[in-house]
Amino acid sequence: MPLFTVNNVDVDFPFPPYRCQEDYMGHVIKALQLKQNAILESPTGTGKTLCLLCSVLAWRVTYIAKLQLNGLAANVNIPGLDEAAGNNQQNDRFHAIPKIIYASRTHSQISQVVNELKNTIYKPKVSVIGSRDQLCLHPKVMKIENSMAKIHTCRSKVKGRSCVHYTNVDKKINDAIFNEILDIEELVSVSKEKTMCPYYSSRELLRRADIIFMPYNYLIDSKTRERQNITLENSIVIFDEAHNIEKVCEESYSFEITSLDIANCIENCQLTLQRILDEDGSGDTSGQSLDSNELTKEDVLTMKAIFLSLEREFNKLEVKGTGSIIDKSTFKNLLMSINVNQDTKGLITEVLQKMESVLSLSSGNKLVGNTFVVLSNFMQILHLTLDQNESSKQQYVCYVSKEKKDPRKKGSTWVDKNIESVAPVFITKLSYWCFSPGLAMEEFVRSGVYSIILTSGTLSPLNSFSSELRIPFPVTLQNPHVIQPEQISVQIICKGCDGVEFLSTYNNRNNPKYLSSLGNSIVNLLRLIPSGVLVFFPSYGVMNNTIASWQTSNIYSRMLKIKHCFTEPRSKNEMATMMSEFDEKVKHPADGATGAMLFAVCRGKASEGIDFADMHGRAVIITGLPFPPKNDPKVNAKMNFLDQQKRNRSDSLNGQEWYVQQSSRAVNQAVGRVIRHKDDFGAVIFMDKRFSFRSNIDELPKWARGFAKVNEQFGSGLRELSLFFKRHVTRVSEQETEVAEPAKSSSRLSNMYDAFKSTERDLPKERFAAPNLDDSTHEFTPPPKKIARTNKRASLLTSLNDATSSDFTFTPSMSPISSRTVTEYKTPEALRNPKRKIRIVSKKEKENDLGTLSEVTTFEGSNTKQCTSMSKNGEGLGKTQSQNFSAQLKSSLSNTEYAVFKRIVRDYKAEKNMVKLIEDLTELFMENHKELLKGFRTFLNNKDKATFDVFLAEKGLL
């Protein structure tokens, strides 16, 4: 593998790195050498994960070398080694070798990281941390659906040494296979072969691991760290996919409790008591006995009394209106009033844990839902409320509200069915919201971490991270992309095809004119974009309302003719099914469609964590700015909290800045779906005028910001996109061929790259070549009022009714062709400057047919009223062209089709609606008479010809 030096550290990399990869590794190593924190943004497809692994492990090797050298000889000095290891201060001493904790969002992402590690020369000892849901092999425990019940049942079997998988761990954990790099699936597979427990094997591997992988909610939650024996001291903590880290930190330190939760806790006490009484009376049917020394009736009765007192005090909370902010100490004072304090917290927690254990062994494990979660959450509430110091308490807001019980929702626990009939219509909820993600990061620092590295493909804007997380991040980086300028098009389109302004504000998003314009404009874009398209809306509500509006008109049905349409569901299970269908329709479209389109939501499941590479995501369309809902009390409370913080800390965000930032990060995450590797290509299309504001452009990722082009009119954006995708037509064809003949991934990427390079050689050097036309010639707007003219050519309608089938005979070059015929690829220059025969004509002869169309009033056979006031030269040339085309139409179309065509022309003359004209012509001609479309151009209004040219080019007819 290539070996190169970055900041005095030798890094083995699988291939010669790009410049942006060298920069990324240099910043990682710099942070470790200086023992500082870093925020590093590098777009998807730049090899971020590989760079991160190689640079961290290379520095760690250097650090170990320095430690070993210091152990062999005192005061030895090897030039460069001190600098490489980071020991630049004379009084600094080396600690134990730092462990690496690598956290990402999900286990599937962690598996991808582990597989990247296998591609390197580095072979550290690895441990992947997971839950029993992923790792347990005991057949009885696996059948238990409730996670907490699964935990306590597992512990019971481990304590009784009745699980053979667990007892084999100590015997076989030192086998050679466990020195290899295993992802979570491989760990499970190997453990099955050896009849070992993967869960406890991973915990044993953790003790000796050099690098530990886990989801980052495991790392942030202090209780989970404690249960998993994860220590932060002297650890290099890496948060990959860290764009949501602030939200995760805040949620981990927040809680909500309702009057229904407390009622459930009371019922849990009653059930536990009944379980003990059954055991005392030998009425137990579970097959598992209880140890009376573990939990007594008195313990449970005391716990029930505490919950009854809590319920009584909780119901005394005063709620103003539907909800209001109350004093931060309210809940703590409420607990203290019933003798729940720092002294009694330990005993209460111990009893709750024992109750969980008893409930998990209840008859047949019939408990479902969140029975255990309620008790576990209460323990977390005690920890957050009673262990706080005054400084931490200032980072919270306490909110109490009355919520109407939703009768459509099923009970969350087994007890709901017992208490729902007597529960009040309104439920009291107390929310204790943490608004400072820095509390989690400050705890990391207090625990003695070596360094914290946050990285993701979309972290912009970076300037607020240090302020929000309340720890310094001296090392920052915003990397460019590895792609070439020709592979990306970023278009901001301010108006629709009918001239209506795109503005998805709260007051305008339900405007029928706006919705119609947005839908019709997307229909036009779909004709240009091959394969898969993603359309992102600000929220589920906006998405559903918009689609419903399109379905009541013909817009949605027109979309279905071009793309198979899918809508992002809220359910995780439904999402997996939908994505499978989307993938199938992208690869194998049917019924004349050219691919598939997914309607999705910013911050939704499709906006992150799903790989829409290559043909699955050729374009991302953003329809609006996804601001958080201002009528949400939590959003209002957060903004007010930040405004107060700003008064005390000048470097803090204020409420409005945070509000805008949330929108920007959600947009950037959606934008990241379009380019997934170095050979990918695609377009980002913003369809909201506000994206043209300088402030919003500056919030885009650095790699996309430089390509953004503002189009005041729809036509110019349409033209740019038409030329962009025309450049890549060969590449798209190559992909579609590979779908028909599956190949290995590496081969496919290589072929795509070669196809792109072969196309690139024939392209102009400018980034966005475009016809030399004004934007106005492309906008779908009604033409100006006609001016009376004297010399005109024959109108189309006149020619249609004068012509007969015997007037014209086909030549071989005019014979109909199959719609599957492969058209010749033409470069943008050829499109801009086609070779045409030139005939010098008078100014009057240049006038369009549209004025003459208005003079046609009768349509009976071939006896049509003739146009008047035609010059001799104009009549001879114009009428011949018109009549020849008309004769060609009559000989090619059936009588029914011909009547439809005349109706289309009448509608165009009356309405001047170019969108509708293209739709109608496509439906009539594209299947069997594609070659006739080009001839229609002669009879268009001059203003509409440029738009029609784009349409013809997209269909391969120009």
Side-chain angles (χ1 to χ4, degrees):
M1 292 188 176
L3 181 68
F4 68 100
T5 302
V6 182
N7 292 359
N8 294 316
V9 174
D10 291 333
V11 180
D12 278 289
F13 205 64
F15 50 83
Y18 294 101
R19 176 62 182 273
C20 66
Q21 292 173 332
E22 286 190 32
D23 288 345
Y24 186 92
M25 288 187 277
H27 281 74
V28 172
I29 291 171
K30 177 183 177 182
L32 298 177
Q33 289 172 336
L34 299 176
K35 205 174 180 180
Q36 293 179 341
N37 305 321
I39 297 178
L40 310 174
E41 181 186 69
S42 193
T44 302
T46 55
K48 166 176 57 69
T49 301
L50 197 59
C51 293
L52 187 56
L53 290 170
C54 288
S55 54
V56 171
L57 291 170
W59 174 85
R60 190 173 182 273
V61 169
T62 304
Y63 190 97
I64 294 171
K66 175 62 178 174
L67 278 180
Q68 292 172 339
L69 187 63
N70 286 348
L72 291 174
N75 300 322
V76 69
N77 182 25
I78 297 180
L81 185 57
D82 284 344
E83 290 79 4
N87 187 20
N88 292 317
Q89 297 180 4
Q90 293 180 355
N91 295 327
D92 190 20
R93 65 182 184 86
F94 276 70
H95 300 283
I97 301 170
K99 282 195 174 186
I100 302 166
I101 300 177
Y102 195 114
S104 193
R105 288 180 58 254
T106 64
H107 276 292
S108 61
Q109 290 174 331
I110 289 170
S111 293
Q112 295 173 16
V113 176
V114 174
N115 287 328
E116 288 279 18
L117 179 58
K118 294 177 184 178
N119 294 327
T120 73
I121 199 172
Y122 302 99
K123 304 301 175 188
K125 294 177 182 178
V126 169
S127 176
V128 181
I129 303 300
S131 68
R132 289 174 175 84
D133 292 331
Q134 291 103 16
L135 296 174
C136 183
L137 294 180
H138 194 287
K140 290 185 178 180
V141 178
M142 289 174 66
K143 291 179 181 178
I144 301 173
E145 294 183 1
N146 187 282
S147 295
M148 292 301 296
K150 188 177 292 185
I151 289 172
H152 288 285
T153 304
C154 171
R155 288 175 179 172
S156 175
K157 293 186 178 298
V158 167
K159 186 176 181 180
R161 307 288 292 182
S162 62
C163 177
V164 65
H165 298 87
Y166 171 75
T167 56
N168 281 335
V169 171
D170 289 339
K171 301 174 185 177
K172 301 180 180 181
I173 193 63
N174 293 318
D175 289 1
I177 186 66
F178 292 106
N179 291 324
E180 298 181 12
I181 297 173
L182 303 175
D183 64 23
I184 196 165
E185 293 178 356
E186 292 167 335
L187 177 63
V188 171
S189 178
V190 169
S191 299
K192 279 183 179 179
E193 292 177 6
K194 294 181 175 290
T195 319
M196 295 173 60
C197 174
Y199 177 78
Y200 283 99
S201 294
S202 70
R203 290 168 68 99
E204 286 299 317
L205 293 173
L206 177 104
R207 302 175 191 275
R208 63 196 192 200
D210 302 320
I211 181 167
I212 307 162
F213 295 96
M214 69 187 73
Y216 54 55
N217 59 311
Y218 283 41
L219 186 58
I220 293 172
D221 182 18
S222 60
K223 293 299 181 183
T224 304
R225 289 200 308 269
E226 184 178 333
R227 286 195 298 268
Q228 297 286 351
N229 295 322
I230 299 167
T231 58
L232 295 175
E233 186 177 5
N234 202 41
S235 295
I236 300 166
V237 177
I238 298 170
F239 287 99
D240 197 2
E241 302 298 333
H243 44 273
N244 286 331
I245 191 67
E246 298 138 300
K247 181 180 177 182
V248 175
C249 289
E250 288 182 350
E251 289 178 350
S252 295
Y253 279 68
S254 301
F255 70 80
E256 291 181 341
I257 185 170
T258 69
S259 52
L260 188 59
D261 290 333
I262 300 173
N264 288 344
C265 288
I266 295 169
E267 291 292 334
N268 283 336
C269 292
Q270 187 62 38
L271 180 65
T272 307
L273 185 62
Q274 186 63 49
R275 178 76 173 87
I276 295 174
L277 293 174
D278 289 344
E279 173 71 12
D280 291 343
S282 301
D284 176 49
T285 59
S286 69
Q288 301 181 68
S289 61
L290 295 173
D291 185 346
S292 58
N293 294 325
E294 288 293 320
L295 186 66
T296 66
K297 289 182 288 186
E298 289 73 16
D299 290 335
V300 179
L301 289 171
T302 301
M303 200 67 243
K304 183 177 179 180
I306 289 174
F307 283 126
L308 286 170
S309 299
L310 179 62
E311 183 180 51
R312 183 180 61 253
E313 296 299 321
F314 196 83
N315 290 330
K316 292 180 182 179
L317 291 174
E318 182 182 355
V319 181
K320 297 178 181 178
T322 57
S324 58
I325 294 175
I326 59 177
D327 186 83
K328 296 180 177 67
S329 302
T330 298
F331 191 68
K332 183 175 181 178
N333 293 337
L334 191 152
L335 292 174
M336 301 282 281
S337 69
I338 59 174
N339 201 30
V340 178
N341 51 43
Q342 196 68 36
D343 295 331
T344 60
K345 186 192 74 167
L347 291 173
I348 292 172
T349 301
E350 184 179 344
V351 172
L352 290 173
Q353 290 173 340
K354 291 176 181 179
M355 286 176 58
E356 282 186 336
S357 182
V358 170
L359 291 172
S360 70
L361 302 176
S362 293
S363 178
N365 288 314
K366 293 180 181 179
L367 299 179
V368 295
N370 295 331
T371 300
F372 303 106
V373 175
V374 170
L375 296 178
S376 180
N377 284 350
F378 189 73
M379 286 186 272
Q380 177 72 359
I381 288 169
L382 295 181
H383 167 67
L384 288 175
T385 307
L386 299 176
D387 292 348
Q388 277 186 339
N389 56 38
E390 192 62 31
S391 175
S392 296
K393 190 172 70 175
Q394 298 308 313
Q395 312 307 316
Y396 282 82
V397 167
C398 193
Y399 183 85
V400 63
S401 60
K402 291 280 188 183
E403 293 188 355
K404 190 172 183 179
K405 194 172 187 305
D406 191 345
R408 296 171 298 177
K409 291 185 179 180
K410 296 181 180 179
S412 61
T413 73
W414 74 275
V415 297
D416 283 343
K417 63 184 179 184
N418 297 328
I419 65 175
E420 275 180 346
S421 59
V422 297
V425 176
F426 288 91
I427 299 170
T428 303
K429 177 194 281 188
L430 186 141
S431 303
Y432 200 52
W433 294 322
C434 173
F435 286 148
S436 177
L439 289 180
M441 292 296 143
E442 287 176 334
E443 184 176 342
F444 278 31
V445 172
R446 287 195 300 270
S447 299
V449 294
Y450 187 93
S451 179
I452 299 173
I453 298 175
L454 307 182
T455 187
S456 180
T458 50
L459 288 173
S460 298
L462 302 185
N463 53 4
S464 64
F465 263 100
S466 180
S467 172
E468 285 200 81
L469 297 181
R470 298 173 59 144
I471 60 173
F473 287 91
V475 181
T476 61
L477 173 70
Q478 281 186 284
N479 241 345
H481 219 301
V482 294
I483 59 171
Q484 299 300 314
E486 294 84 3
Q487 292 173 250
I488 181 71
S489 176
V490 181
Q491 303 297 323
I492 301 170
I493 302 177
C494 300
K495 293 182 180 178
C497 54
D498 52 1
V500 174
E501 192 172 69
F502 288 146
L503 198 61
S504 180
T505 59
Y506 179 79
N507 293 328
N508 193 55
R509 61 180 50 149
N510 293 320
N511 183 338
K513 289 185 178 180
Y514 160 74
L515 292 172
S516 176
S517 180
L518 179 66
N520 284 323
S521 300
I522 290 176
V523 168
N524 279 276
L525 294 174
L526 294 181
R527 294 196 185 95
L528 307 176
I529 305 168
S531 302
V533 181
L534 310 178
V535 181
F536 285 99
F537 295 88
S539 68
Y540 282 103
V542 174
M543 177 180 71
N544 293 333
N545 290 339
T546 303
I547 294 174
S549 169
W550 293 342
Q551 288 173 337
T552 58
S553 65
N554 68 340
I555 293 175
Y556 194 78
S557 62
R558 286 157 53 209
M559 289 176 175
L560 287 172
K561 292 179 182 178
I562 308 172
K563 303 283 185 186
H564 299 282
C565 295
F566 297 87
T567 304
E568 177 185 326
R570 291 178 182 265
S571 165
K572 184 177 180 180
N573 293 333
E574 291 178 6
M575 184 70 181
T577 303
M578 186 276 297
M579 285 305 304
S580 177
E581 295 173 357
F582 176 81
D583 175 69
E584 175 63 23
K585 291 302 182 183
V586 169
K587 294 177 179 177
H588 307 289
D591 303 324
T594 62
M597 173 168 59
L598 172 60
F599 297 118
V601 175
C602 292
R603 299 189 192 89
K605 290 174 283 294
S607 68
E608 55 180 295
I610 299 179
D611 190 12
F612 293 94
D614 300 317
M615 65 193 309
H616 292 87
R618 285 298 174 217
V620 165
I621 298 174
I622 311 289
T623 63
L625 288 163
F627 291 111
K630 270 197 172 180
N631 58 352
D632 186 330
K634 189 173 183 179
V635 172
N636 277 320
K638 171 81 174 185
M639 294 178 69
N640 292 332
F641 171 84
L642 290 174
D643 286 339
Q644 293 176 3
Q645 289 276 311
K646 183 70 173 178
R647 299 187 189 103
N648 301 323
R649 294 181 56 186
S650 59
D651 62 336
S652 175
L653 289 174
N654 63 34
Q656 186 61 31
E657 289 169 339
W658 170 85
Y659 189 70
V660 172
Q661 177 205 78
Q662 296 305 297
S663 170
S664 301
R665 288 195 177 144
V667 167
N668 293 343
Q669 194 60 30
V671 168
R673 302 307 93 200
V674 75
I675 301 291
R676 306 299 295 174
H677 56 81
K678 68 181 180 64
D679 298 319
D680 206 353
F681 72 91
V684 181
I685 307 164
F686 297 102
M687 302 182 75
D688 189 315
K689 182 180 180 180
R690 291 172 294 176
F691 284 110
S692 66
F693 301 163
R694 184 74 258 172
S695 58
N696 288 328
I697 293 177
D698 289 342
E699 297 296 300
L700 294 176
K702 184 178 179 181
W703 65 268
R705 194 182 309 151
F707 298 110
K709 179 177 180 181
V710 177
N711 301 275
E712 291 295 336
Q713 308 297 341
F714 180 77
S716 62
L718 191 72
R719 180 179 62 207
E720 295 282 1
L721 292 165
S722 175
L723 293 171
F724 173 78
F725 285 111
K726 195 69 176 179
R727 290 170 181 168
H728 295 284
V729 65
T730 304
R731 191 174 177 188
V732 173
S733 299
E734 182 74 19
Q735 264 193 304
E736 292 171 348
T737 302
E738 289 172 16
V739 170
E741 301 176 5
K744 292 183 178 179
S745 177
S746 59
S747 173
R748 177 178 62 81
L749 293 178
S750 176
N751 291 339
M752 285 178 54
Y753 184 73
D754 292 340
F756 171 72
K757 285 300 181 183
S758 64
T759 305
E760 187 182 31
R761 284 193 292 269
D762 298 326
L763 295 179
K765 292 185 186 259
E766 60 266 26
R767 196 179 91 211
F768 293 119
N772 187 20
L773 299 170
D774 293 333
D775 291 346
S776 59
T777 63
H778 279 259
E779 189 181 1
F780 292 49
T781 53
K785 294 181 179 180
K786 300 180 185 66
I787 301 174
R789 307 185 189 281
T790 54
N791 296 327
K792 301 173 184 175
R793 292 177 291 177
S795 72
L796 173 58
L797 288 178
T798 302
S799 301
L800 288 178
N801 291 280
D802 282 348
T804 62
S805 59
S806 60
D807 292 336
F808 187 85
T809 57
F810 279 109
T811 63
S813 62
M814 297 179 179
S815 61
I817 60 174
S818 168
S819 61
R820 296 184 180 182
T821 301
V822 178
T823 57
E824 180 185 358
Y825 174 74
K826 296 185 179 182
T827 64
E829 283 92 341
L831 292 174
R832 292 200 305 274
N833 304 305
K835 295 180 180 179
R836 296 176 180 173
K837 294 181 180 180
I838 299 174
R839 184 180 71 86
I840 299 175
V841 296
S842 65
K843 181 177 181 181
K844 292 181 179 181
E845 288 180 304
K846 294 181 182 178
E847 300 298 336
N848 190 271
D849 296 309
L850 194 60
T852 308
L853 282 172
S854 63
E855 300 177 22
V856 180
T857 55
T858 61
F859 302 92
E860 297 178 0
S862 59
N863 299 321
T864 305
K865 186 181 290 184
Q866 299 295 315
C867 299
T868 58
S869 304
M870 298 172 63
S871 67
K872 184 175 180 180
N873 291 339
E875 182 178 359
L877 176 68
K879 191 167 184 178
T880 299
Q881 290 177 338
S882 303
Q883 288 182 341
N884 284 348
F885 179 62
S886 303
Q888 185 180 1
L889 285 171
K890 285 191 173 182
S891 60
S892 302
L893 303 179
S894 66
N895 290 337
T896 302
E897 290 173 329
Y898 193 71
V900 171
F901 179 73
K902 289 200 293 184
R903 189 262 304 161
I904 291 172
V905 174
R906 280 196 210 96
D907 290 348
Y908 171 65
K909 183 193 72 170
E911 301 173 9
K912 312 299 185 297
N913 189 330
M914 195 63 183
V915 177
K916 186 174 184 296
L917 174 69
I918 290 177
E919 283 288 333
D920 292 342
L921 291 177
T922 300
E923 185 173 350
L924 179 62
F925 287 133
M926 279 305 295
E927 185 172 354
N928 298 314
H929 311 292
K930 187 176 181 180
E931 76 288 346
L932 295 177
L933 279 171
K934 190 173 180 180
F936 191 85
R937 184 184 187 279
T938 308
F939 305 97
L940 290 174
N941 186 314
N942 282 333
K943 189 174 184 180
D944 292 333
K945 286 184 178 180
T947 298
F948 197 69
D949 286 346
V950 173
F951 166 68
L952 292 176
E954 188 267 331
K955 296 299 181 184
L957 297 175
L958 239 183

